[in-house]
Amino acid sequence: MDAPLEEKVEKRFQGVPVAQGIAHFPALVYYTEDEEILPRDIPQEELSGEIARFEAALISTRIELLEIQRRIVSAIGAKDASIFDAHLLVVEDRTLIDEVLRGLERDHCNVEHVFQQVVQKYCQTLESIDDPYLRERVVDIQDVARRVIRNLLGKAPLNPAAHAQQHIVIAHNLSPSDTAQFDRSLVHGFVTEIGSKTSHTAILARSLEIPAIVGMQGITQQLRIGEDILIDGYKGLLIVNPSRETLIEYGRIEQEKEEVAERLEQIRETVSTTRDGRHIALSANIDLPDDLGEIAAQGAEGVGLFRTEFLFLNREESPSEDEQYEHYRHAAESCLPHALIIRTLDIGGDKVASSLAFEHEENPFLGCRAIRYCLEHPAVFKTQLRAILRAAGIGHVKIMYPMISGIEELRRANQILEECKQELASAGIPFNPFVEVGIMIEIPSAVLVADHLAREVRFFSIGTNDLIQYSIAVDRLNDRIAHLYNPTHPSILRMVKMTVDAGKANGIWTGVCGEMASDIQLTPLLIGLGVDELSASTALVPRIKKAVQSLDSGACESLVREVLAMDDSNAILEKSRAMARENYADLID
Ligand code: PEP
Ligand code: MG
């Protein structure tokens, strides 16, 4: 008789949903270096099992290191491979191994926790000694320790390229560079322990159109590689071993979502005009060059924000002028007859490119980021501006500077732009000298001087992700204070209004390209505030178009008159949500 199959119990975990969709694939649990391993009690009789696991992990790590050494010898020769001799010594270091064994006997807890504690203490001691050789050894020890811990935990290294199976990524945290490397045909979603809705990692998930959940604390300790999981990016749920009933339920939900998508497909070719005839331009945010194909397919009117920094991530050297020109030209052609708004490099904050020179900063979001970096590194800035000016000779390209805080920065950036035009002209290289220049409004000081700025630019695009972060002083990445990150805070609505009013008084248009533009619960407010353009992740454009077409701009303006007098952000949100529900309930989750 066959043995009964082991019953797998369904378990559910709740996090914060940041990208919609449902995915059902095996988990790929990443181990990252900053992950802290929690202690777990181990009874006396199981200690020998812990020691055996430790020995096996040391052996596996030794085999891995020898294999890397072998590959390096065959690729570049024995000299460079000798750097791994120091790594190999670590797995044989008797002092370290004995201390772990003593720690196990003393603390009776899981060996990975004891090992991590011992390694941390070891490294702290070495770091405090004034000897460059010993300090260098700290790096070797940390690298080997990561390998040993991964082997103990049975987890994968954070190297998405190394996994050929379809999966859902489970990680403590993911940087935008990690996420940008995902292979869409293999990675069907991700769940992280920390993170926030407006981090660039979450923004990328929406671009990649994969469900994503953040803030699921402790999840990397709960799952093992290969476990059967389903993630629900609408509700922020992760379900381990989903039961038959759960799978049937999710099959039904997916079918409903498909029906909504089919209905939206039908309005693709229509214009984004309110019921009473006000046109709201609807454009796409492009985060990765691969997204270009979707612009027209989703019915967007060109690109309102091309985040060029992703061309600079995950590479040894910055892209040359010619390489950037090819990207921008291709993007501009994909948008025709509509415009492509190229945002100049917004590097810094949570996007650090190893190809660019960066000094460590205590507060990178308040530091040398975006236009500040470019003005400090004119060679990098000029390379990009020349490439954009050349592409503008072919397509309908506009330039947008990020993080402008006042008029001096704008004028300095424009002065460099003029120098680039002169350089191209003297070299006889074709370009468009009349390219339109606009700025992002994402710093409160820019809002307060929007009347000055409006006289010297052709458009404003409000970056609400940063505007909220800098106005309410709430780190957009910090999940502990996510409840303070509030788009309907009365101050934010007033700032959007001040910007729009300054734009109108000076005859220029104002758009919104932050994530607020994607939230269809807030569309009534943005239309009522007088915004002329909304730019959002390409996949979300059809939903926003449907929302715009369902609303009456006069009613939105009355709503705004009412909420501008209100002091409670939740009550304001509720008012906007009520109008959204009244007009397009089927789209509100
Ligand atoms: C913003 O700040 O709202 C914005 C669109 O730019 P980013 O998210 O890239 O900082
Ligand atoms: Mg920004």
Side-chain angles (χ1 to χ4, degrees):
M1 213 172 81
D2 287 342
L5 286 174
E6 189 194 334
E7 172 106 14
K8 292 205 167 149
V9 188
E10 175 175 304
K11 263 195 272 173
R12 293 182 175 224
F13 298 90
Q14 183 68 54
V16 179
V18 294
Q20 299 185 336
I22 292 162
H24 179 204
F25 285 95
L28 181 60
V29 188
Y30 284 152
Y31 169 73
T32 52
E33 70 191 274
D34 352 327
E35 197 175 317
E36 196 188 336
I37 297 170
L38 301 174
R40 191 165 33 84
D41 286 341
I42 301 288
Q44 177 68 33
E45 62 277 15
E46 287 175 25
L47 279 186
S48 56
E50 289 298 285
I51 295 172
R53 280 204 312 121
F54 184 45
E55 282 169 353
L58 290 177
I59 293 170
S60 306
T61 307
R62 194 162 191 281
I63 294 171
E64 265 173 34
L65 292 171
L66 286 169
E67 174 56 23
I68 296 174
Q69 204 169 38
R70 191 192 59 73
R71 272 191 268 135
I72 294 179
V73 171
S74 66
I76 46 176
K79 187 172 133 291
D80 293 294
S82 65
I83 51 168
F84 276 90
D85 290 346
H87 285 63
L88 282 163
L89 286 177
V90 176
V91 275
E92 289 160 7
D93 186 331
R94 226 31 263 181
T95 325
L96 191 126
I97 295 172
D98 286 346
E99 194 159 345
V100 174
L101 298 178
R102 274 198 300 277
L104 266 175
E105 282 294 342
R106 187 189 56 233
D107 301 338
H108 283 203
C109 65
N110 47 325
V111 67
E112 43 276 338
H113 174 74
V114 177
F115 178 71
Q116 195 179 48
Q117 301 289 310
V118 169
V119 167
Q120 273 167 10
K121 216 169 74 193
Y122 217 72
C123 291
Q124 272 161 11
T125 313
L126 289 181
E127 267 169 346
S128 66
I129 303 171
D130 189 16
D131 178 334
Y133 170 75
L134 290 179
R135 273 205 301 272
E136 251 171 53
R137 287 219 57 207
V138 170
V139 180
D140 299 337
I141 295 172
Q142 283 167 339
D143 186 38
V144 176
R146 278 197 291 274
R147 290 174 188 278
V148 174
I149 291 174
R150 277 201 303 258
N151 285 322
L152 279 168
L153 295 172
K155 291 185 178 178
L158 188 52
N159 176 9
H163 297 278
Q165 311 291 326
Q166 308 203 61
H167 57 266
I168 294 170
V169 169
I170 309 291
H172 175 64
N173 193 15
L174 290 168
S175 70
S177 327
D178 297 329
T179 318
Q181 285 187 78
F182 283 165
D183 176 340
R184 289 180 205 212
S185 63
L186 298 177
V187 181
H188 292 277
F190 69 75
V191 180
T192 59
E193 296 183 326
I194 59 173
S196 66
K197 267 197 169 123
T198 51
S199 69
H200 286 97
T201 299
I203 291 171
L204 274 177
R206 294 190 280 273
S207 290
L208 292 164
E209 292 185 56
I210 55 173
I213 305 172
V214 300
M216 197 173 276
Q217 281 169 17
I219 194 66
T220 60
Q221 311 276 329
Q222 302 284 340
L223 296 177
R224 295 194 79 81
I225 287 184
E227 264 187 298
D228 181 24
I229 58 168
L230 182 147
I231 59 170
D232 172 349
Y234 299 98
K235 298 210 179 89
L237 261 183
L238 181 151
I239 306 175
V240 190
N241 299 321
S243 68
R244 211 170 142 262
E245 293 72 37
T246 300
L247 292 177
I248 292 171
E249 162 75 358
Y250 272 95
R252 193 187 53 70
I253 295 174
E254 274 188 297
Q255 199 176 340
E256 272 172 25
K257 300 287 179 196
E258 265 165 40
E259 282 163 16
V260 173
E262 270 165 33
R263 285 206 297 281
L264 291 176
E265 168 78 24
Q266 285 156 19
I267 62 162
R268 194 183 61 191
E269 304 290 334
T270 60
V271 283
S272 123
T273 304
T274 58
R275 282 200 332 251
D276 54 332
R278 195 172 124 204
H279 178 63
I280 308 289
L282 208 49
S283 37
N285 289 353
I286 296 295
D287 303 323
L288 299 167
D290 291 359
D291 300 340
L292 289 167
E294 282 296 294
I295 304 168
Q298 300 286 7
E301 294 170 50
V303 169
L305 167 65
F306 186 63
R307 287 186 164 99
T308 54
E309 47 281 3
F310 288 100
L311 301 174
F312 289 70
L313 300 182
N314 297 315
R315 50 188 295 161
E316 300 283 304
E317 279 176 26
S318 297
S320 65
E321 179 183 320
D322 283 346
E323 184 184 338
Q324 290 189 54
Y325 164 69
E326 281 307 324
H327 277 294
Y328 305 150
R329 185 188 57 76
H330 171 60
E333 283 172 351
S334 313
C335 287
L336 283 171
H338 301 294
L340 165 73
I341 300 183
I342 302 183
R343 176 174 76 181
T344 57
L345 188 62
D346 181 357
I347 208 74
D350 58 346
K351 291 170 292 193
V352 180
S354 42
S355 58
L356 294 167
F358 265 100
E359 274 168 37
H360 171 78
E361 294 177 303
E362 291 301 332
N363 290 305
F365 272 109
L366 297 180
C368 190
R369 184 190 159 192
I371 197 70
R372 301 168 181 187
Y373 182 92
C374 287
L375 296 180
E376 218 179 71
H377 297 85
V380 176
F381 195 32
K382 280 183 149 187
T383 303
Q384 180 171 46
L385 290 175
R386 280 194 302 263
I388 301 175
L389 285 166
R390 287 168 58 192
I394 288 168
H396 186 182
V397 171
K398 302 178 191 200
I399 295 179
M400 177 159 77
Y401 303 134
M403 290 269 297
I404 292 288
S405 64
I407 202 90
E408 293 84 0
E409 271 166 344
L410 170 62
R411 288 185 182 151
R412 177 77 192 116
N414 275 337
Q415 198 181 352
I416 296 178
L417 181 67
E418 287 310 313
E419 285 169 24
C420 291
K421 290 182 190 171
Q422 278 159 20
E423 285 164 16
L424 288 171
S426 11
I429 300 171
F431 70 99
N432 177 2
F434 307 110
V435 63
E436 286 185 16
V437 173
I439 54 171
M440 293 198 61
I441 298 287
E442 48 186 351
I443 299 185
S445 60
V447 176
L448 295 173
V449 296
D451 53 341
H452 297 161
L453 294 165
R455 287 184 216 121
E456 301 191 21
V457 293
R458 299 291 291 274
F459 62 91
F460 285 153
S461 186
I462 306 178
T464 49
N465 304 340
D466 280 314
L467 187 60
I468 297 169
Q469 141 160 288
Y470 296 131
S471 304
I472 309 181
V474 51
D475 177 352
R476 67 193 263 190
L477 303 183
N478 188 339
D479 51 341
R480 277 181 66 191
I481 43 168
H483 58 286
L484 295 174
Y485 191 95
N486 201 340
T488 53
H489 191 293
S491 65
I492 303 300
L493 301 190
R494 287 182 190 185
M495 281 198 256
V496 173
K497 183 160 182 342
M498 279 179 75
T499 309
V500 170
D501 289 350
K504 286 204 190 324
N506 290 281
I508 65 166
W509 60 267
T510 300
V512 172
C513 64
E515 295 305 294
M516 214 172 149
S518 315
D519 187 346
I520 53 172
Q521 301 181 99
L522 306 179
T523 315
L525 290 176
L526 294 179
I527 292 182
L529 284 162
V531 164
D532 302 291
E533 180 235 28
L534 297 171
S535 192
S537 290
T538 325
L540 299 173
V541 165
R543 292 159 59 82
I544 306 168
K545 189 184 278 186
K546 180 79 178 95
V548 169
Q549 290 177 343
S550 312
L551 289 164
D552 177 87
S553 73
C556 295
E557 282 159 18
S558 308
L559 170 80
V560 163
R561 271 194 295 279
E562 191 185 348
V563 301
L564 280 176
M566 288 166 59
D567 57 8
D568 179 330
S569 46
N570 288 325
I572 296 175
L573 173 62
E574 214 19 76
K575 285 267 175 202
S576 185
R577 214 185 251 161
M579 184 175 276
R581 248 191 247 113
E582 217 173 90
N583 291 284
Y584 40 91
D586 55 330
L587 296 183
I588 307 279
D589 298 311

